[in-house]
Amino acid sequence: MKAMLLAAGRGTRMMPLTENCPKPLLKVRGRPLIVWHILNLVKAGITEIVINHAYLGDMIEQTLGDGSQFGASISYSAESEALETAGGIANALHLLGEHPFVAIAADIYCPHFDFSECLNTLEDNDMWGNPHPHDKRDVAWLYMVKNPAHHPQGDFAVHLLGLTKEGEPRYTFSGIGVYRPEMFASIRPGESAKLVTLLHDYADRGQLGGEVIQCAWTDVGTPERLAELNKPLASSKT
């Protein structure tokens, strides 16, 4: 399995911190956000990584290089202007290959997620070993989290047969998902497209799966959230 780290956003809500530093290189506990993901991917045996970038993208390439320092092999998909999430993935399909891949928002902090859980997520067979009809199998599997305070309404309801736009309980998309390349086939390379539009479409078709994860997770969307993560750990009392 290959992985894609989505690192093309400008990070305007993080200004002035992102004025001279791309958001994925902002540090949590001394380590850039994007490096937390790379190390966790390598730990799970996922070493072929594609990174898209736009704003200050040269800094990302200079910092991460070819990935060998992490035990990974990194390829880059440069965008002159950010193409949104689905557009960025579609633009990099030639690097991702023909099999399902995991894509991760580079600006989330989820240090304990086990990426080995993604390896066999989108099996072509059902639980009894029978092949799925092509028009019924899941095209994506999303990892969901409990709704944070800044997004109380959530994104999707989680049910036994998949994710739906309506219903309860609702959860928030973590920014970690496994996708089939065919999901992005209608988007031309270089075309801007939002991922949420595709997800809603496939949810309506009953082809969007997912599960709730319990590990620590933060959408590092504001300087205040970054500062909270970087607070000194409370010293233990003797």
Side-chain angles (χ1 to χ4, degrees):
M1 170 177 271
K2 294 184 179 182
M4 182 168 184
L5 290 168
L6 302 162
R10 188 174 176 84
T12 54
R13 291 182 300 163
M14 295 296 290
M15 288 291 186
L17 300 180
T18 51
E19 185 174 355
N20 298 302
C21 178
K23 188 176 177 182
L25 293 185
L26 294 176
K27 292 183 178 180
V28 172
R29 303 203 176 280
R31 179 180 289 166
L33 283 163
I34 198 169
V35 173
W36 284 100
H37 297 312
I38 293 171
L39 294 176
N40 281 341
L41 286 165
V42 171
K43 183 179 179 181
I46 303 173
T47 59
E48 293 185 73
I49 300 171
V50 177
I51 300 175
N52 72 327
H53 63 68
Y55 177 66
L56 299 178
D58 288 346
M59 291 183 64
I60 294 176
E61 293 200 25
Q62 291 167 8
T63 301
L64 305 179
D66 64 2
S68 57
Q69 62 181 309
F70 309 108
S73 175
I74 297 178
S75 302
Y76 295 95
S77 178
E79 302 168 14
S80 56
E81 294 185 6
L83 300 174
E84 299 283 359
T85 302
I89 292 174
N91 198 54
L93 284 182
H94 66 289
L95 299 172
L96 292 167
E98 300 177 354
H99 302 289
F101 57 88
V102 57
I104 307 108
D107 57 358
I108 62 170
Y109 179 64
C110 194
H112 305 302
F113 182 76
D114 183 359
F115 283 102
S116 65
E117 295 185 16
C118 303
L119 294 175
N120 299 307
T121 296
L122 290 181
E123 293 286 356
D124 281 328
N125 296 333
D126 63 21
M127 67 180 69
W128 298 281
N130 301 313
H132 285 301
H134 186 77
D135 61 347
K136 293 297 182 183
R137 66 182 186 175
D138 289 335
V139 298
W141 189 271
L142 308 185
Y143 293 91
M144 312 296 290
V145 295
K146 183 179 177 181
N147 298 331
H150 63 271
H151 191 60
Q153 72 275 20
D155 296 308
F156 293 99
V158 180
H159 297 293
L160 181 62
L161 297 179
L163 304 186
T164 61
K165 294 187 296 183
E166 307 296 334
E168 299 290 340
R170 295 178 63 80
Y171 294 89
T172 294
F173 176 36
S174 68
I176 303 172
V178 179
Y179 306 94
R180 297 186 190 276
E182 66 199 52
M183 180 176 173
F184 305 92
S186 64
I187 304 171
R188 298 186 305 274
E191 179 183 358
S192 179
K194 294 181 179 294
L195 180 61
V196 66
T197 303
L198 284 179
L199 295 179
H200 285 175
D201 183 24
Y202 281 103
D204 288 339
R205 301 185 196 182
Q207 291 182 268
L208 186 63
E211 64 186 278
V212 180
I213 58 174
Q214 303 296 334
C215 55
W217 173 90
T218 302
D219 171 9
V220 189
T222 64
E224 291 75 20
R225 288 181 218 154
L226 181 63
E228 185 68 24
L229 289 172
N230 282 321
K231 279 185 177 179
L233 295 173
S235 58
S236 58
K237 294 182 179 181
T238 57

